[in-house]
Amino acid sequence: MRVFVSDAERRLADLQVDEGRLGDEEMQLVRVHPQHIRQAVVGFGGAVTEAVALTFAQMDGAAQERFLRLCFTSEGADYSLVRIPIQSCDFSEAPYDYLSDRRDTEFATFSISHDRQAIIPLLKRIQQIKPEVEFLASPWSPPAFMKSNRIRNAGGSLLQKHYENWAIVVALYLLAYRDEGIRIRRVTVQNEPHASQDWESCRFSAQEERNFAVGYLRRALDAAGFADVGILGWDHNKERLLDRADALFADEAGRNAIDGLAFHIYSGDHFDAVREVRRCYPDAELLLSEGCMEYSDFDPEREVLHAEKYAHEWVGDMAAGANGCLDWNLLLNEEGGPTYIRNFCDAPLMFDRRDGRLRESLAFAYLVQVSRLLRPGARVCACSSYTADIETLAAVNPDRSCVCVMLNRVDREYPVVLTEGNRSWCMDLGPHAIATAQWGPQG
């Protein structure tokens, strides 16, 4: 069995552990049950905002190639999902719209020309290296003239009279991207609909979101030939995830129009909310669509803590019922930007413009532990640990290989007897370490 280990000293140590036979042992077991399968794995990835694309454009050819291979091949994270903003967001160079003329009722001035400058070229580079990559698109705000507060920031709401117009703009966006050779497979209704931010934001109550998605967005997408594009609701923190699921899926119309929910990490674990949504709505797609280390807290003394927070989120959400996880910005500069609102944050990969180096954080190594070996199409399976200090996630890949991720966030080492059926592997999981084991089917 191969085991990959990451900790403060090692990024991805590749170890070989010999197989044994499980006898009457009862102690120190981490037990994997591949016959008890749960939800399918859609994949893992992160966001390409304008900040990511502009930072990428500043890198030389070698650094660009290294970034792409680290993110989208098995040399690194082997990501298969990318989230992109519809119009500008806080990690843009400046605010911009695709349609800003309120008098243009024919949408003649609609244009994604701004995205052609940096975002679309990067997405095409990603497709070249990862043709099967799938895209999720999220709006931060409709155009200002469509909103109650007449500005794109500070919340406000989408005016009822513009529900159809905004749905058409989203459909036109999908058509324009398809013309660029970029097929978007999922859209969320609104990024963080429960927040009024200093940057682009728009509030939707549960009923407003359901009415817009069912009565306007689904119809506009279907009419434009995008019946296969999934709509995800919520796209905000997990503390209200179950409430929003109950509201959106309350009737057949909601269940037919809305394919699932997206969620963020910023209000705490709430893994039980994910678990309960999975139990109540087993066919819904659930994606962790955003999470990051906020406020540019780049203290090297906190590097392990940051890495563990990422892994804790991805392991916990997937074990609870999520189908996939996306990081926030895949790449930022050394400041944690660019961002016109100066909402700087950390990223697992950062390009230092001062010396031209692409820097991999320990957090990136921890995300690789989850994403590289759990392949799209895998099925999460049952797994139990003898101690709550060892957080676990297990899955069966399409090739029938088994994977088990084990995260230890405490100061002591734990002995582990990893078992599947009557097979066993003995190892030690060091303090503040993450290990991912992979083994083939028996026989």
Side-chain angles (χ1 to χ4, degrees), residues 99-109 145 162:
L99 180 75
S100 56
D101 186 351
R102 70 176 64 242
R103 300 164 298 178
D104 182 9
T105 58
E106 301 298 321
F107 306 97
T109 59
F145 73 87
H162 285 299

Side-chain angles (χ1 to χ4, degrees), residues 168-181:
I168 290 172
V169 168
V170 175
L172 289 173
Y173 164 82
L174 295 180
L175 285 166
Y177 264 67
R178 188 179 67 182
D179 289 345
E180 295 287 338

Side-chain angles (χ1 to χ4, degrees), residues 309-323:
K309 181 177 179 180
Y310 265 119
H312 172 70
E313 281 289 345
W314 283 26
V315 167
D317 286 319
M318 294 298 295
N323 298 98

Side-chain angles (χ1 to χ4, degrees), residues 277-289:
V277 173
R278 172 58 63 206
R279 186 188 71 82
C280 294
Y281 307 101
D283 296 329
E285 183 171 275
L286 302 178
L287 289 182
L288 167 57
S289 56

Side-chain angles (χ1 to χ4, degrees), residues 1-5 10 13-20 406 416-419 423-429 435-440:
M1 178 179 70
R2 295 184 73 183
V3 179
F4 298 90
V5 180
R10 297 172 290 184
D14 186 353
L15 309 177
Q16 190 71 33
V17 178
D18 293 333
E19 181 178 331
M406 295 169 286
V416 171
V417 181
L418 180 61
T419 69
R423 309 163 78 186
S424 69
W425 298 268
C426 297
M427 65 192 78
D428 293 319
L429 185 60
T436 305
Q438 182 178 36
W439 65 96

Side-chain angles (χ1 to χ4, degrees), residues 251-294:
D251 57 22
E252 186 176 359
R255 292 189 293 273
N256 288 339
I258 302 168
D259 299 272
L261 294 96
F263 54 88
H264 300 180
I265 73 170
Y266 305 117
S267 66
D269 289 350
H270 293 286
F271 298 139
D272 285 335
V274 179
R275 188 172 293 109
E276 189 65 8
V277 173
R278 172 58 63 206
R279 186 188 71 82
C280 294
Y281 307 101
D283 296 329
E285 183 171 275
L286 302 178
L287 289 182
L288 167 57
S289 56
E290 183 183 320
C292 70
M293 302 300 107
E294 302 168 272

Side-chain angles (χ1 to χ4, degrees), residues 227-244:
D228 61 335
V229 172
I231 295 175
L232 303 181
W234 192 224
D235 207 5
H236 205 160
N237 294 323
K238 288 179 279 183
E239 84 288 340
R240 289 176 172 84
L241 184 67
L242 182 57
D243 305 88
R244 189 58 63 114

Side-chain angles (χ1 to χ4, degrees), residues 281-339:
Y281 307 101
D283 296 329
E285 183 171 275
L286 302 178
L287 289 182
L288 167 57
S289 56
E290 183 183 320
C292 70
M293 302 300 107
E294 302 168 272
Y295 309 123
S296 301
D297 183 4
F298 303 144
D299 184 354
E301 298 297 320
R302 296 170 62 83
E303 186 176 36
V304 173
L305 178 65
H306 288 178
E308 289 178 343
K309 181 177 179 180
Y310 265 119
H312 172 70
E313 281 289 345
W314 283 26
V315 167
D317 286 319
M318 294 298 295
N323 298 98
C325 301
L326 292 101
D327 187 20
W328 184 210
N329 294 286
L330 285 173
L331 172 72
L332 292 172
N333 64 29
E334 77 286 347
E335 287 185 313
T339 160

